[in-house]
Amino acid sequence: MRLNFAPRFAQQRSKSIQYIRSILLTGLASVALTQVHATTTLAQPSTCKWQADATVVQAKPKIALVLGSGGARGYAHIGVIDVLEQNGIRPDMIVGTSAGSIVGAIYASGKTPEQMKNIAMDLKSDDVRDFTLSKQGFFDGKKIADYVNAQVDNTLLENMKIPFYVVATELKSGQDVIFRQGDTGKAVMASTSIPSMFVPTKIGEQQYVDGGLVHPVPVTIAKQLGADLIIAVDILARPEYTETSNVWGLFNQNINIMQNRLADYEVKQADIVIRPDIREKAHVFSVGSRMQTIQAGEVAAQNQIDQLQKVLSAKTYQLQAEHDDLQICQH
């Protein structure tokens, strides 16, 4: 008997083809679903809204006022601050070193320029000068700390009305140190401890000296702290105006040259540099020179106001544009 497998084979073949077709269709459908799912995921309506559709946020540059070192020239800082205030420019942070830390502390505590002028004119040598017998210096510096604390009503650094940062130098390592909390007077005392004149200030286990040794005009510190616009006040003595006919003059000239080199590097990173024209070395306790120095600060600041307003407007516009371009996403 001859068996005929053709019909059965045909049936099996038909079923196999349908099965394979089913598998292929299922696979293709799976791939298609995967692609559609991926496409759908990418094409989902965004939950992000443009800033323009949300509540308008007014961008404002974070302004840093950098007050440099310079001994008796520090009175000029008061004149600069006065002019800035008159023109509606108030810093969001203050960075001070040496003489700049004294003025900066008093301003940051909430004193007005007029009050600061009165404080400056009332200053007496006995208020801040205390002689001592030490191999490390002639002055102790504690009176400076007490004086500053009295002027700022014993306000701690972290509680200042304007965020305030004090620059000093760690004696052993020569590294810069930024005080941003704790005893304001003690921090200023450290920042103003001129080596060989003042005994180094001890805080904790470390000794600190004048911040002007590493940052005579601490612009880079302000930059690190996130300032958008930096106004630097450079009151350093200019080497070309320094008397060099005696030993003391030569000593001053060495310091002036080194500090100006450091300052030149830093102020290049500032948006506005204010340099009061103070050519004669005034004594820190000379009442007559105080007002002249304050006025020199006022003149220098006034000369830069137009440029400062332009820079401020440009920075504000730039920040506002960046804010408008940012998307606020709802998660």
Side-chain angles (χ1 to χ4, degrees), residues 107-125:
Y107 181 40
S109 72
K111 295 293 191 296
T112 66
E114 196 60 36
Q115 289 174 315
M116 294 170 69
K117 288 179 182 180
N118 292 334
I119 290 170
M121 297 307 293
D122 290 340
L123 177 67
K124 300 177 179 59
S125 61

PDB file of all heavy atoms in Angstrom, residues 107-125:
ATOM      1  N   TYR A 107      31.236  98.908  59.005  1.00  0.00           N
ATOM      2  CA  TYR A 107      30.195  99.093  57.990  1.00  0.00           C
ATOM      3  C   TYR A 107      29.244  97.898  57.957  1.00  0.00           C
ATOM      4  O   TYR A 107      28.020  98.055  57.913  1.00  0.00           O
ATOM      5  CB  TYR A 107      30.847  99.291  56.624  1.00  0.00           C
ATOM      6  CG  TYR A 107      29.886  99.524  55.485  1.00  0.00           C
ATOM      7  CD1 TYR A 107      28.761 100.328  55.632  1.00  0.00           C
ATOM      8  CD2 TYR A 107      30.116  98.937  54.239  1.00  0.00           C
ATOM      9  CE1 TYR A 107      27.883 100.553  54.582  1.00  0.00           C
ATOM     10  CE2 TYR A 107      29.250  99.149  53.174  1.00  0.00           C
ATOM     11  CZ  TYR A 107      28.132  99.950  53.355  1.00  0.00           C
ATOM     12  OH  TYR A 107      27.265 100.167  52.304  1.00  0.00           O
ATOM     13  N   ALA A 108      29.800  96.692  58.008  1.00  0.00           N
ATOM     14  CA  ALA A 108      28.985  95.471  57.953  1.00  0.00           C
ATOM     15  C   ALA A 108      28.042  95.353  59.141  1.00  0.00           C
ATOM     16  O   ALA A 108      26.984  94.721  59.046  1.00  0.00           O
ATOM     17  CB  ALA A 108      29.885  94.241  57.882  1.00  0.00           C
ATOM     18  N   SER A 109      28.412  95.978  60.254  1.00  0.00           N
ATOM     19  CA  SER A 109      27.572  95.892  61.458  1.00  0.00           C
ATOM     20  C   SER A 109      26.316  96.744  61.358  1.00  0.00           C
ATOM     21  O   SER A 109      25.408  96.622  62.184  1.00  0.00           O
ATOM     22  CB  SER A 109      28.371  96.321  62.694  1.00  0.00           C
ATOM     23  OG  SER A 109      28.596  97.725  62.691  1.00  0.00           O
ATOM     24  N   GLY A 110      26.277  97.624  60.339  1.00  0.00           N
ATOM     25  CA  GLY A 110      25.086  98.451  60.151  1.00  0.00           C
ATOM     26  C   GLY A 110      25.292  99.941  60.329  1.00  0.00           C
ATOM     27  O   GLY A 110      24.345 100.720  60.215  1.00  0.00           O
ATOM     28  N   LYS A 111      26.521 100.364  60.594  1.00  0.00           N
ATOM     29  CA  LYS A 111      26.785 101.799  60.761  1.00  0.00           C
ATOM     30  C   LYS A 111      26.674 102.513  59.412  1.00  0.00           C
ATOM     31  O   LYS A 111      27.042 101.979  58.366  1.00  0.00           O
ATOM     32  CB  LYS A 111      28.193 102.013  61.341  1.00  0.00           C
ATOM     33  CG  LYS A 111      28.374 101.470  62.761  1.00  0.00           C
ATOM     34  CD  LYS A 111      27.543 102.246  63.764  1.00  0.00           C
ATOM     35  CE  LYS A 111      27.915 101.912  65.209  1.00  0.00           C
ATOM     36  NZ  LYS A 111      27.647 100.514  65.589  1.00  0.00           N
ATOM     37  N   THR A 112      26.166 103.740  59.448  1.00  0.00           N
ATOM     38  CA  THR A 112      26.042 104.554  58.241  1.00  0.00           C
ATOM     39  C   THR A 112      27.377 105.243  57.961  1.00  0.00           C
ATOM     40  O   THR A 112      28.224 105.364  58.850  1.00  0.00           O
ATOM     41  CB  THR A 112      24.965 105.631  58.423  1.00  0.00           C
ATOM     42  OG1 THR A 112      25.403 106.559  59.440  1.00  0.00           O
ATOM     43  CG2 THR A 112      23.640 105.013  58.827  1.00  0.00           C
ATOM     44  N   PRO A 113      27.586 105.726  56.727  1.00  0.00           N
ATOM     45  CA  PRO A 113      28.817 106.462  56.425  1.00  0.00           C
ATOM     46  C   PRO A 113      29.039 107.651  57.356  1.00  0.00           C
ATOM     47  O   PRO A 113      30.169 107.941  57.756  1.00  0.00           O
ATOM     48  CB  PRO A 113      28.612 106.908  54.981  1.00  0.00           C
ATOM     49  CG  PRO A 113      27.743 105.851  54.401  1.00  0.00           C
ATOM     50  CD  PRO A 113      26.794 105.491  55.508  1.00  0.00           C
ATOM     51  N   GLU A 114      27.960 108.352  57.701  1.00  0.00           N
ATOM     52  CA  GLU A 114      28.086 109.501  58.591  1.00  0.00           C
ATOM     53  C   GLU A 114      28.557 109.057  59.973  1.00  0.00           C
ATOM     54  O   GLU A 114      29.422 109.706  60.594  1.00  0.00           O
ATOM     55  CB  GLU A 114      26.744 110.225  58.689  1.00  0.00           C
ATOM     56  CG  GLU A 114      26.845 111.631  59.273  1.00  0.00           C
ATOM     57  CD  GLU A 114      27.736 112.555  58.455  1.00  0.00           C
ATOM     58  OE1 GLU A 114      27.734 112.453  57.217  1.00  0.00           O
ATOM     59  OE2 GLU A 114      28.457 113.357  59.089  1.00  0.00           O
ATOM     60  N   GLN A 115      28.006 107.970  60.461  1.00  0.00           N
ATOM     61  CA  GLN A 115      28.447 107.429  61.754  1.00  0.00           C
ATOM     62  C   GLN A 115      29.902 106.984  61.687  1.00  0.00           C
ATOM     63  O   GLN A 115      30.664 107.189  62.639  1.00  0.00           O
ATOM     64  CB  GLN A 115      27.562 106.245  62.157  1.00  0.00           C
ATOM     65  CG  GLN A 115      26.143 106.633  62.560  1.00  0.00           C
ATOM     66  CD  GLN A 115      25.269 105.425  62.814  1.00  0.00           C
ATOM     67  OE1 GLN A 115      25.269 104.459  62.039  1.00  0.00           O
ATOM     68  NE2 GLN A 115      24.524 105.439  63.914  1.00  0.00           N
ATOM     69  N   MET A 116      30.275 106.417  60.576  1.00  0.00           N
ATOM     70  CA  MET A 116      31.664 105.966  60.410  1.00  0.00           C
ATOM     71  C   MET A 116      32.638 107.144  60.394  1.00  0.00           C
ATOM     72  O   MET A 116      33.737 107.059  60.933  1.00  0.00           O
ATOM     73  CB  MET A 116      31.784 105.142  59.127  1.00  0.00           C
ATOM     74  CG  MET A 116      31.013 103.822  59.182  1.00  0.00           C
ATOM     75  SD  MET A 116      30.912 102.997  57.583  1.00  0.00           S
ATOM     76  CE  MET A 116      32.612 102.514  57.354  1.00  0.00           C
ATOM     77  N   LYS A 117      32.222 108.237  59.778  1.00  0.00           N
ATOM     78  CA  LYS A 117      33.069 109.434  59.776  1.00  0.00           C
ATOM     79  C   LYS A 117      33.259 109.960  61.201  1.00  0.00           C
ATOM     80  O   LYS A 117      34.369 110.342  61.593  1.00  0.00           O
ATOM     81  CB  LYS A 117      32.450 110.522  58.896  1.00  0.00           C
ATOM     82  CG  LYS A 117      32.520 110.232  57.401  1.00  0.00           C
ATOM     83  CD  LYS A 117      31.858 111.353  56.595  1.00  0.00           C
ATOM     84  CE  LYS A 117      31.875 111.032  55.116  1.00  0.00           C
ATOM     85  NZ  LYS A 117      31.233 112.100  54.292  1.00  0.00           N
ATOM     86  N   ASN A 118      32.179 109.958  61.952  1.00  0.00           N
ATOM     87  CA  ASN A 118      32.269 110.425  63.336  1.00  0.00           C
ATOM     88  C   ASN A 118      33.184 109.512  64.164  1.00  0.00           C
ATOM     89  O   ASN A 118      33.965 109.983  64.990  1.00  0.00           O
ATOM     90  CB  ASN A 118      30.877 110.488  63.964  1.00  0.00           C
ATOM     91  CG  ASN A 118      30.016 111.572  63.360  1.00  0.00           C
ATOM     92  OD1 ASN A 118      30.528 112.573  62.849  1.00  0.00           O
ATOM     93  ND2 ASN A 118      28.703 111.387  63.388  1.00  0.00           N
ATOM     94  N   ILE A 119      33.062 108.223  63.952  1.00  0.00           N
ATOM     95  CA  ILE A 119      33.916 107.259  64.659  1.00  0.00           C
ATOM     96  C   ILE A 119      35.376 107.508  64.313  1.00  0.00           C
ATOM     97  O   ILE A 119      36.251 107.492  65.182  1.00  0.00           O
ATOM     98  CB  ILE A 119      33.511 105.811  64.290  1.00  0.00           C
ATOM     99  CG1 ILE A 119      32.144 105.476  64.895  1.00  0.00           C
ATOM    100  CG2 ILE A 119      34.556 104.811  64.775  1.00  0.00           C
ATOM    101  CD1 ILE A 119      31.556 104.160  64.401  1.00  0.00           C
ATOM    102  N   ALA A 120      35.634 107.737  63.020  1.00  0.00           N
ATOM    103  CA  ALA A 120      37.012 107.981  62.575  1.00  0.00           C
ATOM    104  C   ALA A 120      37.586 109.250  63.187  1.00  0.00           C
ATOM    105  O   ALA A 120      38.732 109.277  63.642  1.00  0.00           O
ATOM    106  CB  ALA A 120      37.051 108.077  61.049  1.00  0.00           C
ATOM    107  N   MET A 121      36.789 110.312  63.228  1.00  0.00           N
ATOM    108  CA  MET A 121      37.284 111.579  63.750  1.00  0.00           C
ATOM    109  C   MET A 121      37.463 111.548  65.265  1.00  0.00           C
ATOM    110  O   MET A 121      38.267 112.312  65.828  1.00  0.00           O
ATOM    111  CB  MET A 121      36.319 112.709  63.359  1.00  0.00           C
ATOM    112  CG  MET A 121      36.187 112.924  61.862  1.00  0.00           C
ATOM    113  SD  MET A 121      37.771 113.163  61.001  1.00  0.00           S
ATOM    114  CE  MET A 121      38.266 114.743  61.676  1.00  0.00           C
ATOM    115  N   ASP A 122      36.741 110.681  65.936  1.00  0.00           N
ATOM    116  CA  ASP A 122      36.834 110.593  67.402  1.00  0.00           C
ATOM    117  C   ASP A 122      37.933 109.629  67.872  1.00  0.00           C
ATOM    118  O   ASP A 122      38.215 109.552  69.066  1.00  0.00           O
ATOM    119  CB  ASP A 122      35.491 110.133  67.991  1.00  0.00           C
ATOM    120  CG  ASP A 122      34.407 111.194  67.861  1.00  0.00           C
ATOM    121  OD1 ASP A 122      34.759 112.378  67.675  1.00  0.00           O
ATOM    122  OD2 ASP A 122      33.211 110.824  67.918  1.00  0.00           O
ATOM    123  N   LEU A 123      38.536 108.895  66.946  1.00  0.00           N
ATOM    124  CA  LEU A 123      39.547 107.902  67.326  1.00  0.00           C
ATOM    125  C   LEU A 123      40.760 108.553  67.991  1.00  0.00           C
ATOM    126  O   LEU A 123      41.307 109.536  67.500  1.00  0.00           O
ATOM    127  CB  LEU A 123      40.011 107.137  66.081  1.00  0.00           C
ATOM    128  CG  LEU A 123      41.122 106.111  66.294  1.00  0.00           C
ATOM    129  CD1 LEU A 123      40.635 104.946  67.157  1.00  0.00           C
ATOM    130  CD2 LEU A 123      41.650 105.602  64.952  1.00  0.00           C
ATOM    131  N   LYS A 124      41.172 107.975  69.105  1.00  0.00           N
ATOM    132  CA  LYS A 124      42.371 108.450  69.816  1.00  0.00           C
ATOM    133  C   LYS A 124      43.390 107.319  69.879  1.00  0.00           C
ATOM    134  O   LYS A 124      43.030 106.140  69.850  1.00  0.00           O
ATOM    135  CB  LYS A 124      42.004 108.919  71.225  1.00  0.00           C
ATOM    136  CG  LYS A 124      40.991 110.058  71.256  1.00  0.00           C
ATOM    137  CD  LYS A 124      40.626 110.417  72.685  1.00  0.00           C
ATOM    138  CE  LYS A 124      39.637 111.567  72.743  1.00  0.00           C
ATOM    139  NZ  LYS A 124      38.365 111.274  72.018  1.00  0.00           N
ATOM    140  N   SER A 125      44.641 107.693  69.985  1.00  0.00           N
ATOM    141  CA  SER A 125      45.711 106.691  69.984  1.00  0.00           C
ATOM    142  C   SER A 125      45.543 105.682  71.114  1.00  0.00           C
ATOM    143  O   SER A 125      45.808 104.487  70.941  1.00  0.00           O
ATOM    144  CB  SER A 125      47.082 107.366  70.076  1.00  0.00           C
ATOM    145  OG  SER A 125      47.188 108.114  71.284  1.00  0.00           O
TER     146      SER A 125
END
